[in-house]
Amino acid sequence: MTDFHVYDTTLRDGAQQEGLNLSVPDKLAIAGYLDQLGFGFVEGGWPGANPKDTEFFRRAATELRLQHAVLAAFGSTRRAGTEAAQDPQVLALVESGAPVVTLVAKSSPRHVVEALHTTLEENLAMVRDTVSFLVAQGRRVFVDAEHFFDSYVQDPAYPVQVVQEAFAAGAEVVALCDTNGGMLPPQVFRAVTELRAVTDGILGAHCHNDTGCAVANTLAAVDAGATHVQGTVNGYGERTGNADLVTVVANLQLKQGREVVDPAALAQALHLSHAVSEVTNIPPVGRQPYVGASAFAHKAGLHASALKVHPDLYQHTDPALVGNSMRTLVSDMAGRASIELKATELGYDLTHDRELAARTVKRVKDLEQDGWTFDAADASFELLLREEVTGEPLQYFATESWRIITDSGDGREALSEATVKLRAAGRRVVATGEGNGPVNALDHALREALADAYPELAGFELTDFRVRILDASHGTDATTRVLIETSDESSSWQTVGVAPNIVHASWTALVDSFSYGLLKRGVQPRP
Ligand SMILES: [Zn+2]
């Protein structure tokens, strides 16, 4: 369906999200990812209103090589009582060079009178003049009818007039906006159905998520005849966000059979949505539909035994279609089936050795009793599994002892110093490391101690460290669980450690993280 528009506003409306700040290079990088997602239109910002956005369009002209997407500049209708050709804001839209200009137009009488301080007639003239001026300048003009649905529910007459005025002046698309995000799908469906009956132009939907219905409202608009959908990657946007465009596209494509983007692009959705998260520096949400890390993760033992036979029994779609994959979580809810399934996922076959499988299940259950969890620590689980399969632990070095001193005083920052004693590559090594905290110091000391035996460690970086106090009713006697994430240039992995002492728990997770990283690189132990 090449005449169906997928229009992304991550760089403009999405950037309104609290805590989200994009530089021009960030915006250029994200525009590249949006293009790879197969979206037809990328709204780059509001040139003229914002110097960063003006620069974005200037640099986009030479630095972006878009395969699918057409750039759109966002702006507003001319000011009241002026001419479009004289309005600097309108001229900046032309100067941006963007082939598409999207104009926000007021479609609610209250907003025209109370926010714009003008008359309803003048507002219609502003729509007419600005659209026809930009069309005469050779631009494709889209109009965002602001507060359309709120206004329509009150009285359809004026908002419908605004839409008709925009089409009559040459607008190619009118996107109906649920600006306050308060609509429900039946209201959207009804309004678009009624409007569809009185106009032939391309209708679109721009929905915010304040009722949790942004995606549902967008789909309702499509059901009623809209053929243009707006939204943002990862649902970014102010308040509760905009319609998540990846979810919208996946639903249209996988549930309704409308091919709105290239299936090969959709198969990159997880990778690209996470790549955008890297740029925005907002961690991906695990429960995000289709592309969340948990979107196809199964925990219950009962599900797992059925999943082994037929993955589609408990999945609404094939995760590969959006670049995701099924995962089994190893947890205390898990029976033998889910551990076998997890083992298969990691490349170990437990299905033919009942005794081995039973032994592994028992060990996992015992550890979970003590506060361990392998849900988020695949690497530690793989080391455990490997040990059960081979009958011996993987030992890259033999620890003799470790020790931490933390020193502080009046107004001085605390500084930790760690000493590690171990045997590796046939030698006894004593090394020290400093850090702003005990774990940091331990990480440095352990790297120092192993630097000669395992130079590969230099490529590992500790990227996340999370501490959870279990059994808090015991106060300081509580058990501590530490989760560590480590990365190298190609991947990242998670390990876990549990102990009454936080540094001890960290040490366990740290040793696992180094061992797993070395194992993955095919490094043989040099004890
Ligand atoms: Zn919006």
Side-chain angles (χ1 to χ4, degrees), residues 197-465:
V198 297
T199 176
D200 296 329
I202 299 173
L203 295 175
H206 173 111
C207 299
H208 284 257
N209 199 34
D210 299 71
T211 57
C213 291
V215 169
N217 285 340
T218 308
L219 297 175
V222 172
D223 277 346
T227 51
H228 169 113
V229 291
Q230 299 195 357
T232 62
V233 166
N234 301 327
Y236 296 140
E238 63 185 327
R239 307 190 309 276
T240 54
N242 288 51
D244 184 329
L245 201 51
V246 172
T247 309
V248 169
V249 165
N251 282 331
L252 290 171
Q253 194 131 332
L254 304 179
K255 303 293 172 178
Q256 302 191 326
R258 301 168 193 263
E259 196 172 302
V260 298
V261 301
D262 179 358
L266 189 59
Q268 294 286 308
L270 176 131
H271 158 66
L272 293 165
S273 121
H274 288 207
V276 172
S277 297
E278 286 297 313
V279 181
T280 59
N281 204 20
I282 292 172
V285 177
R287 288 183 297 109
Q288 203 169 328
Y290 292 102
V291 297
S294 305
F296 298 95
H298 302 273
K299 192 160 183 170
L302 192 67
H303 286 201
S305 42
L307 276 165
K308 221 168 53 158
V309 190
H310 259 303
D312 55 350
L313 275 175
Y314 285 92
Q315 303 192 142
H316 69 94
T317 192
D318 177 1
L321 297 172
V322 289
N324 211 334
S325 51
M326 191 187 81
R327 287 196 302 137
T328 320
L329 304 175
V330 181
S331 81
D332 50 5
M333 287 168 75
R336 209 185 71 208
S338 50
I339 295 214
E340 283 177 8
L341 197 64
K342 184 75 202 175
T344 310
E345 211 177 293
L346 297 172
Y348 300 86
D349 185 7
L350 300 189
T351 51
H352 301 299
D353 190 337
R354 293 184 75 83
E355 201 227 331
L356 171 62
R359 201 168 66 224
T360 309
V361 171
K362 183 176 184 319
R363 192 163 158 208
V364 169
K365 291 202 175 208
D366 288 349
L367 284 167
E368 284 182 331
Q369 196 67 32
D370 296 335
W372 293 70
T373 173
F374 297 97
D375 271 3
D378 271 6
S380 286
F381 180 71
E382 188 171 339
L383 291 174
L384 178 152
L385 199 59
R386 195 185 173 282
E387 185 179 326
E388 291 299 331
V389 171
T390 61
E392 56 181 3
L394 180 66
Q395 232 191 350
Y396 281 96
F397 56 92
T399 310
E400 187 182 308
S401 68
W402 52 263
R403 181 178 65 197
I404 312 270
I405 301 165
T406 298
D407 173 65
S408 176
D410 244 358
R412 260 186 309 121
E413 292 250 351
L415 187 73
S416 293
E417 185 187 307
T419 306
V420 170
K421 299 178 186 175
L422 52 77
R423 289 194 70 82
R427 285 199 311 132
R428 179 174 184 269
V429 193
V430 178
T432 60
E434 285 184 327
N436 53 10
V439 179
N440 191 226
L442 213 49
D443 179 38
H444 289 161
L446 186 56
R447 281 168 189 274
E448 179 69 29
L450 295 172
D452 288 342
Y454 302 104
E456 298 88 352
L457 289 174
F460 300 173
E461 191 192 347
L462 208 152
T463 44
D464 195 17
F465 175 79

Side-chain angles (χ1 to χ4, degrees), residues 2-201:
T2 47
D3 50 354
F4 194 99
H5 295 177
V6 178
Y7 183 106
D8 181 279
T9 179
T10 304
L11 299 177
R12 202 264 314 165
D13 223 9
Q16 301 296 317
Q17 172 158 322
E18 192 175 351
L20 204 160
N21 247 311
L22 299 175
S23 66
V24 174
D26 290 344
K27 293 184 104 177
L28 290 165
I30 292 174
Y33 295 136
L34 298 173
D35 182 50
Q36 290 180 51
L37 274 162
F39 296 169
F41 300 90
V42 169
E43 190 176 86
W46 192 332
N50 181 344
K52 251 201 300 197
D53 290 356
T54 309
E55 190 191 338
F56 169 81
F57 283 101
R58 191 176 51 72
R59 289 179 57 177
T62 54
E63 294 176 35
L64 280 181
R65 299 264 175 280
L66 302 175
Q67 302 290 316
H68 305 276
V70 173
L71 279 184
F74 180 87
S76 113
T77 50
R78 69 158 171 82
R79 275 182 296 130
T82 60
E83 278 179 48
Q86 307 296 324
D87 188 323
Q89 184 266 140
V90 175
L91 295 175
L93 295 170
V94 177
E95 280 156 24
S96 75
V100 172
V101 172
T102 300
L103 290 173
V104 61
K106 299 264 183 241
S107 63
S108 142
R110 261 194 76 190
H111 282 269
V112 172
V113 175
E114 291 173 30
L116 272 187
H117 305 293
T118 188
T119 63
L120 300 184
E121 294 69 35
E122 173 63 3
N123 181 58
L124 291 175
M126 287 153 62
V127 172
R128 184 168 56 236
D129 293 354
T130 321
V131 171
S132 50
F133 170 74
L134 289 166
V135 169
Q137 298 294 315
R139 299 299 185 270
R140 296 170 71 180
V141 181
F142 298 178
V143 170
D144 277 1
E146 196 189 53
H147 295 290
F148 175 85
F149 292 104
D150 287 327
S151 179
Y152 191 93
V153 168
Q154 300 262 312
D155 180 356
Y158 190 73
V160 169
Q161 218 182 334
V162 172
V163 172
Q164 286 172 330
E165 197 72 54
F167 283 132
E172 180 181 335
V173 174
V174 177
L176 312 169
C177 302
D178 182 17
T179 310
N180 294 354
M183 289 294 127
L184 295 176
Q187 295 172 298
V188 170
F189 181 79
R190 193 174 153 208
V192 179
T193 303
E194 290 171 2
L195 185 61
R196 184 72 294 170
V198 297
T199 176
D200 296 329

